[in-house]
Amino acid sequence: MATDNRIHFWRRNPKVPGSLQPVYGAQHPPLDPRRHRLLKDAPKVSSVNTKSKKPSTFHEFARSTNDAWDIDDEEDDSVFSLKQLSSSPVQSQYMPQTPRLKIIKTPEDTEPLPPSLDRQEPISTNPSQERLDIERGPANGRVVKSSSDAQLNVNAARNTLQKQQSLPVRPIIPLVARISDQNASGAPLMMVREKTRLDKFKQLLASPNTDLEELRKHSWSGIPREVRPVTWRLLSGYLPANRERRDLVLQRKREEYFGFIEQYYHSRTDENHRDTYRQIHIDIPRTNPLIPLFQQPLVQEVFERILFIWAIRHPASGYVQGINDLVTPFFVVFLSEFVEEDVENFEMASLPLDTQRNIEADSFWCMSKLLDGIQDNYTFAQPGIQIKVKALEELVSRIDEDVHVHFQKCEVEYLQFAFRWMNNLLMRELPLRCTIRLWDTYQAESEGFSHFHLYVCSAFLIKWRKEILSMVDFQSLLMLLQNLPTIHWGNEEVGLLLAEAYRLKYMFADAPSHYKR
């Protein structure tokens, strides 16, 4: 009687174990209706025999529906094999708990498949022999499938591959700030355009007298990494436009810098300069603490010499905290001439001594040229910064009155967050790779560091408009402004920021009536 009940149960139950049901949330992602349709439309093997003879025992039912138990395993296995394409070829080996499935490639499949799906072995297409193999169990940890199952696997794998290829690939930039140029959006590089731009730069730099205006025009939208060092030297005024004079000028300026070292550096322990050197010595380890390059003792000694010599030669301002940050972009760019990649982990001691000295001298002179244009930012009471912060407040009040009024309601003063923006030229707000791209444009502008920077700060502030207006108290708003989420920024974000800054400059720079209330 018990045997008859089992037989009648399997005959009348429409939903049998192993049948595929579209249950939302049962898997991630949910069941694809297109793939479900493929299962329904797939050709059935020996359908005549199935209709004429119904399964009378559980063993017969299991033999006729064996693929229903493994449908999820087949899908997972195909997805897993596709994920392995970018790393290494899949090796067929025995896996006791998750046996790998063999797949037959039917004549209709003319499209090339991934390597993991192309590696197939001939199997028997005899249904009786196949049923006998299944009864005996998996041989060597493998399950032999029918041709209809193989076609299903091929279609499923192809659909999965097409879905994966359609998804945008966004590179993961690590939290430790990387220096190399990148696009945070993962947009494909425009190789032809970049090569054309690089050729144009090389042509300008190779001319007997470089056209600096033309060079600035091409540098505004970014300078290729290969020519950035020499371009920065030219645009900062460190190198002459005449090509024949460049080597002589470099030699003379480098010798002059190390003459300053011999003349002044020993006085760092004197009573008059002890406090200056002590402050520099404290600030240097704080410079880009997340980048291993700047934690090397040799690099820190280079920075100490550069900053101390500059402070000695500029007594009106002396050393001010924040100037230490302004050395790093020049140092990294000039170091990149000798390092192709992974600059942030490069061992400075591996370079020849002459190369190290040249990088140090060039960084000093280019930083000096930069500070000559904004020295009032660092004189007593830092009047230049106070003027710029006040100008930022007036400009934002005209650009976005809602943000300006929100600051007033929360009692947030512009000086509380924008002082650092002006003092460090946004270097504490942006990753170093973004600062280097930003300075490409600053070098191309006639008054990039002193004037255009104001509009960049305005555009930078308005970019976070939504987040600013969502903060309802002083503490949360100030915490946001001092920790803006830019760690994953790349060249694309900086380009958009500069474009908005240029628009603001075009609208307000020469319109005093629009600039003030």
Side-chain angles (χ1 to χ4, degrees):
M1 185 65 182
T3 304
D4 296 338
N5 290 338
R6 278 201 305 269
I7 294 174
H8 290 300
F9 170 78
W10 294 113
R11 287 179 177 176
R12 67 173 178 265
N13 193 0
K15 295 183 179 180
V16 296
S19 61
L20 193 60
Q21 301 297 328
V23 181
Y24 186 84
Q27 60 178 353
H28 180 76
L31 182 66
D32 189 349
R34 292 175 296 179
R35 188 176 298 175
H36 191 205
R37 186 167 59 253
L38 286 174
L39 291 175
K40 293 181 178 179
D41 298 340
K44 298 181 180 179
V45 180
S46 62
S47 58
V48 177
N49 296 336
T50 305
K51 293 180 179 179
S52 60
K53 182 179 179 180
K54 297 182 179 179
S56 59
T57 67
F58 176 77
H59 294 290
E60 293 181 5
F61 170 78
R63 285 198 299 269
S64 63
T65 60
N66 64 85
D67 58 334
W69 303 97
D70 301 325
I71 187 66
D72 290 334
D73 294 337
E74 291 173 6
E75 184 178 10
D76 294 341
D77 186 66
S78 63
V79 173
F80 175 78
S81 63
L82 289 171
K83 289 181 179 178
Q84 297 294 327
L85 293 178
S86 59
S87 57
S88 59
V90 178
Q91 297 180 355
S92 300
Q93 57 183 3
Y94 175 69
M95 299 178 66
Q97 297 181 357
T98 55
R100 188 175 301 279
L101 306 179
K102 287 185 181 179
I103 301 174
I104 295 179
K105 187 171 182 179
T106 58
E108 291 82 1
D109 297 326
T110 57
E111 296 181 15
L113 295 177
S116 59
L117 299 180
D118 276 337
R119 297 174 184 170
Q120 299 149 5
E121 301 175 11
I123 62 175
S124 173
T125 56
N126 189 343
S128 60
Q129 181 64 33
E130 181 180 339
R131 186 177 296 108
L132 180 61
D133 291 340
I134 293 176
E135 289 178 350
R136 292 176 180 175
N140 295 329
R142 302 188 180 204
V143 180
V144 181
K145 295 297 179 183
S146 64
S147 60
S148 61
D149 300 333
Q151 179 66 21
L152 175 62
N153 290 343
V154 170
N155 293 336
R158 189 174 299 146
N159 291 338
T160 305
L161 181 61
Q162 291 174 355
K163 289 180 182 179
Q164 290 181 352
Q165 291 176 345
S166 64
L167 294 175
V169 181
R170 184 180 180 90
I172 300 176
I173 303 175
L175 294 179
V176 177
R178 295 189 61 83
I179 298 173
S180 55
D181 298 340
Q182 352 189 354
N183 286 324
S185 67
L189 296 177
M190 294 178 288
M191 299 301 295
V192 176
R193 181 188 174 197
E194 291 300 318
K195 186 178 183 302
T196 303
R197 294 187 70 246
L198 179 59
D199 292 341
K200 182 61 178 179
F201 271 92
K202 289 181 177 179
Q203 181 182 354
L204 286 170
L205 297 173
S207 61
N209 289 283
T210 301
D211 187 345
L212 295 181
E213 289 301 319
E214 190 73 12
L215 186 63
R216 286 192 179 95
K217 184 173 72 173
H218 285 83
S219 300
W220 205 97
S221 57
I223 303 172
R225 184 179 186 271
E226 296 83 350
V227 295
R228 182 176 280 140
V230 63
T231 304
W232 275 27
R233 292 188 186 103
L234 284 166
L235 295 181
S236 64
Y238 175 45
L239 276 186
N242 186 278
R243 192 177 179 213
E244 294 181 355
R245 295 178 52 220
R246 291 175 192 169
D247 291 338
L248 293 176
V249 169
L250 280 177
Q251 182 180 354
R252 178 172 58 84
K253 299 296 282 185
R254 289 166 179 171
E255 291 176 355
E256 186 178 355
Y257 168 72
F258 284 101
F260 295 153
I261 296 291
E262 295 177 3
Q263 184 177 357
Y264 299 116
Y265 194 60
H266 64 85
S267 65
R268 65 189 182 279
T269 56
D270 293 352
E271 185 176 357
N272 295 336
H273 306 306
R274 189 179 302 165
D275 292 340
T276 298
Y277 179 75
R278 178 179 174 275
Q279 189 61 57
I280 292 172
H281 189 72
I282 292 173
D283 289 346
I284 292 301
R286 302 172 182 171
T287 305
N288 298 104
L290 297 179
I291 300 179
L293 172 68
F294 299 110
Q295 304 309 310
Q296 299 175 21
L298 182 60
V299 175
Q300 293 183 356
E301 291 173 6
V302 168
F303 277 51
E304 286 180 0
R305 288 193 292 267
I306 291 174
L307 295 171
F308 183 77
I309 296 301
W310 188 88
I312 292 296
R313 298 189 71 246
H314 297 81
S317 61
Y319 173 75
V320 178
Q321 285 181 302
I323 296 180
N324 56 305
D325 287 331
L326 305 184
V327 187
T328 56
F330 293 113
F331 182 82
V332 168
V333 167
F334 298 144
L335 177 63
S336 67
E337 279 188 289
F338 311 97
V339 183
E340 293 185 359
E341 57 184 9
D342 201 20
V343 179
E344 57 272 20
N345 292 311
F346 182 74
E347 190 66 33
M348 185 70 175
S350 62
L351 288 176
L353 181 59
D354 288 343
T355 301
Q356 297 178 29
R357 290 165 61 90
N358 293 342
I359 293 172
E360 179 178 346
D362 293 353
S363 300
F364 169 81
W365 286 115
C366 288
M367 186 200 72
S368 299
K369 294 288 187 180
L370 162 61
L371 291 174
D372 286 347
I374 57 173
Q375 191 170 355
D376 59 343
N377 286 6
Y378 307 103
T379 54
F380 178 73
Q382 300 182 266
I385 291 180
Q386 297 191 42
I387 293 172
K388 290 182 176 67
V389 171
K390 185 62 177 176
L392 175 66
E393 180 178 358
E394 294 177 355
L395 185 57
V396 171
S397 68
R398 302 300 296 167
I399 297 171
D400 196 326
E401 189 174 2
D402 292 340
V403 171
H404 181 70
V405 171
H406 189 67
F407 283 152
Q408 292 177 335
K409 288 181 180 179
C410 296
E411 298 182 349
V412 172
E413 299 289 339
Y414 283 78
L415 200 63
Q416 292 170 330
F417 65 88
F419 179 88
R420 190 172 73 179
W421 296 10
M422 303 299 177
N423 188 62
N424 301 81
L425 298 178
L426 286 177
M427 287 195 63
R428 297 290 178 91
E429 276 57 50
L430 298 173
L432 184 53
R433 62 180 177 272
C434 297
T435 299
I436 292 174
R437 168 62 189 93
L438 186 68
W439 284 22
D440 286 346
T441 302
Y442 283 3
Q443 299 268 15
E445 285 279 336
S446 57
E447 296 180 329
F449 295 97
S450 59
H451 185 61
F452 187 65
H453 180 68
L454 169 66
Y455 298 96
V456 172
C457 290
S458 302
F460 186 67
L461 181 63
I462 300 304
K463 177 174 178 58
W464 309 103
R465 181 182 192 275
K466 181 179 178 182
E467 292 80 359
I468 289 171
L469 296 178
S470 67
M471 300 299 169
V472 295
D473 58 80
F474 172 85
Q475 183 178 358
S476 60
L477 182 54
L478 202 59
M479 286 291 291
L480 170 69
L481 293 170
Q482 292 178 348
N483 300 277
L484 292 167
T486 60
I487 190 63
H488 292 291
W489 274 31
N491 290 346
E492 183 177 346
E493 286 78 4
V494 176
L496 294 173
L497 178 68
L498 289 167
E500 178 63 16
Y502 182 80
R503 185 185 72 85
L504 295 177
K505 178 189 174 185
Y506 184 83
M507 291 175 62
F508 293 98
D510 298 324
S513 59
H514 292 277
Y515 187 77
K516 297 180 181 180
R517 280 186 167 276

